[in-house]
Each structure stands twice: as C-alpha cells, then as structure tokens.
Amino acid sequence: MAASCSFRSAVRAPPLSRSLARSAVRCRSAATPGAGGAAAATSKLVVEVKERLAREHPGLPTGRNGRDDDDMILWFLKDRKFSVDEAVSKLTKAIKWRQDFGVSELSEESVKALYQTGKAYVHDSLDIYGRPVLVVIAAKHFPSTQDPVENEKLCAYLVEKAINRLPSGAENILGIFDLRGFRVENGDIQFLKFLIDVFYYYYPKRLGQVLFVDAPFLFQPMWQVVKPLLKSYASLVRFCDSETVRKEYFTEETVPSDFRS
C-alpha cells in the first residue's frame, strides 16, 4: 500500500462561501456607494451586458443559462468584478461551450456507462456548510481505456447536478478527490486541465473548496504539474486524511459511505 504523503498540512483553505460573500459585498460597494445605488447600478450593468450579447452574439441561445439569463449574467459580472467587457467576453465563451458541448442534453442515461463505474458521483447529503458535494474516486479512473470525451461529459453532468442542488443562499460546492489506491495508470493531466477550464471559464467561483484525501507519495509529481495551472485556485486545495473528511465536513449521518470508518 502506498504511503500517504505529507501534503495534508501544506494548504488549508477555508470554505469559500463566506469569503465569496464578503468579496461580492466589496465588489458591489466598490461599484457604487450606498445599498440602493448599488442595486440600481448592478441592474443597469446586467441590462448592459444583456444588450451587448444580443447585439454582438445574436446566435447564442436564450433562456436558462443563455444570453438573457439575468442570474447567470449577474454571476459572471461578480466574477469579473463588474467589468462589462470582461463579463461579456467570458459569458460568450461559457454559453458557446454549453451549446457546443450539449450540456443541456446531458443526463444520467447519456453518461450511464461511466457513471455506473462509481468513479464519480454527487453525494446525497450536503456538507456541514450547506454545500453540495462532488466526489471523485481516482482509483477508478483509467484514461488508457476510458473515452476522454465521455469522461468530460460525465464531469459536466455531475457539475451541473451539484450546482442544481445548491440550497437558497448557497453559492458553491465542495469537491472531494479520494486518492486512496491512486496509481500511475490513474493519472490524467489532460482531464485535469479540462476540469480546471470547466471551473475557471464555465462555472467560475462555483468550486468552494477541494479536498485531496490520503494522497500517496506518487501523486506528488502530478501535483507539481497541476498546481501552477490552478493559479489562485490552488488556495482552494486542502490535503487531508479520511478522518478529517468525516469529522470536519460531515456528521455521522451525512458522511459519504466511502469515508465511513
């Protein structure tokens, strides 16, 4: 059995839900002084982005997660610190990706083959911070025999499923990577790059924290490659053990079965 590495104390990131909320408040305050003025200014920016998208990218779909979705526009404005130009650019890329990738058409049936392997799933319960939980079992990931496109579809489906489970007032999810039993053949840099793009470009600030659980020493070379790609998102990563997952993120009743003692 591979020994666990000493990463677990290297990075500890607090749940982002609170820090993101504070950041959003600061952004709104910076945009315009006064609560009433901020709300009016924010609404004006949403309309401006919507009109820009309709004028410059009329071919993009409308409706939920489309170019006229007020909630999605506001979220991307917050992510881009209320820069209209940057929000339009990032929204255009995200909406086009959703359209080309067929995100709205993904279902459990469409990803059934890989979903049934148990390599990844959305946990039935929220963590103690009220966040939906996406669990990945690294030892069940085999890039040499599993279709990379199907892996990406499963990823997108599960991220959508987790986000759709966000309770009112919650903004981000918890990702848990179970690295117990991880071997060289489970490593997949290309998929990790796709996953980074997913959360940076298409679901910005939806990932509140990432737990790498019981990482073996042989995971270290991969981490050294991936860490620079994460940039500021690297601060969301925490290396820990299974006991930490049980005691600090769940109750006895809600802990995922994979982490029960």
Side-chain angles (χ1 to χ4, degrees):
M1 179 181 295
S4 294
C5 66
S6 58
F7 295 157
R8 64 186 59 160
S9 61
V11 185
R12 289 178 64 105
L16 190 63
S17 54
R18 299 168 187 170
S19 60
L20 179 58
R22 289 195 295 268
S23 176
V25 170
R26 288 196 297 269
C27 290
R28 287 195 291 270
S29 299
T32 55
T42 298
S43 296
K44 185 177 179 180
L45 291 176
V46 169
V47 171
E48 185 177 348
V49 170
K50 191 187 302 185
E51 291 176 346
R52 283 270 305 271
L53 289 171
R55 184 171 63 253
E56 299 172 12
H57 306 282
L60 291 177
T62 57
R64 187 168 184 268
N65 295 315
R67 59 177 170 82
D68 61 349
D69 185 329
D70 287 1
D71 291 337
M72 186 177 187
I73 291 172
L74 178 58
W75 187 262
F76 275 72
L77 274 168
K78 290 179 180 179
D79 171 62
R80 295 292 87 197
K81 296 180 171 60
F82 293 91
S83 165
V84 170
D85 288 342
E86 291 184 19
V88 168
S89 176
K90 198 165 184 178
L91 270 164
T92 300
K93 183 170 184 174
I95 297 171
K96 183 170 175 51
W97 172 78
R98 294 182 66 90
Q99 183 180 38
D100 294 344
F101 201 76
V103 174
S104 63
E105 299 169 7
L106 294 175
S107 65
E108 185 172 327
E109 183 63 29
S110 69
V111 297
K112 184 178 180 180
L114 284 181
Y115 188 69
Q116 289 183 332
T117 66
K119 65 189 293 182
Y121 60 91
V122 175
H123 183 43
D124 292 335
S125 300
L126 306 177
D127 73 355
I128 63 172
Y129 300 101
R131 300 175 297 191
V133 181
L134 176 56
V135 181
V136 177
I137 311 297
K140 295 182 179 181
H141 181 69
F142 297 99
S144 64
T145 59
Q146 295 168 345
D147 187 331
V149 174
E150 294 304 311
N151 275 319
E152 292 176 0
K153 288 181 178 179
L154 176 63
C155 171
Y157 167 72
L158 291 176
V159 171
E160 282 279 308
K161 183 176 181 179
I163 291 175
N164 287 334
R165 287 191 176 183
L166 283 168
S168 176
E171 296 182 325
N172 47 61
I173 68 176
L174 171 67
I176 301 179
F177 285 77
D178 184 353
L179 296 173
R180 292 172 296 181
F182 177 87
R183 299 176 181 274
V184 173
E185 56 264 35
N186 304 126
D188 191 348
I189 295 295
Q190 291 306 310
F191 177 74
L192 287 176
K193 288 180 178 178
F194 169 79
L195 190 59
I196 293 168
D197 283 350
V198 162
F199 281 108
Y200 180 79
Y201 293 111
Y202 314 135
Y203 301 93
K205 287 186 169 62
R206 288 302 189 186
L207 190 59
Q209 191 175 21
V210 180
L211 305 180
F212 284 168
V213 184
D214 289 322
F217 280 108
L218 58 82
F219 181 73
Q220 184 173 7
M222 177 171 288
W223 173 240
Q224 295 306 315
V225 172
V226 171
K227 186 177 180 180
L229 301 177
L230 292 171
K231 299 179 182 178
S232 62
Y233 277 61
S235 65
L236 303 181
V237 176
R238 178 184 182 184
F239 288 88
C240 64
D241 56 23
S242 301
E243 184 177 6
T244 299
V245 174
R246 290 192 295 272
K247 291 186 175 181
E248 297 187 18
Y249 292 88
F250 299 94
T251 65
E252 291 184 4
E253 293 74 23
T254 63
V255 66
S257 59
D258 290 299
F259 298 98
R260 294 186 184 277
S261 55

